[in-house]
Amino acid sequence: MKLFDADWAPSPRRVRIYLAEKGISVERETIDLRQDEQLGAAYLALNPRGVVPALQLDDGEMLCESAAICRYFEALGDPSPLFGETALDIARIESWARRIENEGYAAVVYVLRNQRPAFRDRGVAGKWPAIPQIPELVERGQILWDMFVGVLDAHLAGRTWIATDSYSFADISALVTVDFAKAAKLVVPDGAADLKRWHAAASARSSATA
């Protein structure tokens, strides 16, 4: 199998951190997003969606979406704390991972896609239309981000990790989200002491540099 990757994008990084935590080695091919290699004929012939990450299985099937790729590898082995070893932990991790995506990551995307010139009226013929930027969604994203940071900071009071007593996929998702937010100039304020403590601990793990 082969993992199609991108060095700086958040979703591929989520897969790399997971694989590093599990000690799984996979052949990788880097797709240069800054040069729009993901939209080139060669890559689209393999993956018509033109997204990364994408995992090409030995039979040629492509699995997209970072969480799905991580769950595939998790299912190949024994259950681990990353996705939960009990029914309750599995549910807790899933709940927090979805919340992080829907509230935190979505807030960053609102700001980036509606503010950065690189996303202005960008479409791909035959794939998707140009989507105008909406300035009001920048404000919406900033409000959602502030709310998300406040909720997560309060939740982490007295806790080491987000969903369970162990580092999990929820922590991976949150680490990637907080770091990705810097591209949108969304920050964690100094007053969010518990979130900052958690971020320092998550960033100190060797997998964070994967």
Side-chain angles (χ1 to χ4, degrees):
M1 63 181 72
K2 179 188 292 186
L3 178 67
F4 291 91
D5 195 6
D7 290 334
W8 56 269
S11 293
R13 185 188 177 206
R14 186 155 72 152
V15 175
R16 291 197 305 273
I17 293 175
Y18 170 82
L19 293 176
E21 287 284 339
K22 294 282 286 188
I24 297 173
S25 178
V26 182
E27 180 185 355
R28 290 170 50 197
E29 181 173 328
T30 300
I31 301 298
D32 190 342
L33 301 183
R34 288 190 170 91
Q35 297 298 320
D36 285 340
E37 188 179 356
Q38 78 279 14
L39 302 177
Y43 186 59
L44 289 177
L46 295 172
N47 180 11
R49 285 190 65 198
V51 299
V52 287
L55 181 68
Q56 185 180 42
L57 304 181
D58 292 341
D59 64 1
E61 181 177 353
M62 279 284 193
L63 295 180
C64 300
E65 305 300 335
S66 57
I69 292 170
C70 294
R71 281 197 170 278
Y72 172 76
F73 282 109
E74 186 76 6
L76 292 178
D78 295 328
S80 76
L82 288 170
F83 275 107
E85 298 173 286
T86 68
L88 184 55
D89 280 353
I90 290 169
R92 286 169 172 161
I93 293 166
E94 180 71 10
S95 176
W96 269 104
R98 286 181 177 270
R99 186 169 186 177
I100 290 160
E101 291 176 355
N102 293 335
E103 297 177 12
Y105 190 85
V108 181
V109 172
Y110 274 137
V111 174
L112 273 180
R113 291 195 176 277
N114 291 283
Q115 186 181 66
R116 294 283 289 271
F119 293 104
R120 188 173 296 140
D121 293 331
R122 187 180 184 189
V124 176
K127 292 294 178 183
W128 57 82
I131 301 175
Q133 291 181 318
I134 304 172
E136 290 80 3
L137 288 180
V138 176
E139 182 180 359
R140 176 184 176 89
Q142 291 170 334
I143 292 170
L144 287 173
W145 177 257
D146 291 341
M147 182 178 67
F148 168 74
V149 166
V151 167
L152 191 53
D153 179 60
H155 172 73
L156 283 165
R159 300 181 59 90
T160 302
W161 303 116
I162 293 174
T164 68
D165 292 336
S166 300
Y167 183 84
S168 75
F169 190 70
D171 297 287
I172 295 174
S173 298
L175 176 63
V176 169
T177 295
V178 170
D179 289 344
F180 179 44
K182 298 172 187 175
K185 295 183 171 55
L186 296 172
V187 300
V188 176
D190 291 338
D194 288 299
L195 180 52
K196 281 186 169 290
R197 169 187 51 77
W198 164 87
H199 183 262
S203 299
R205 297 176 75 90
S206 59
S207 62
T209 60

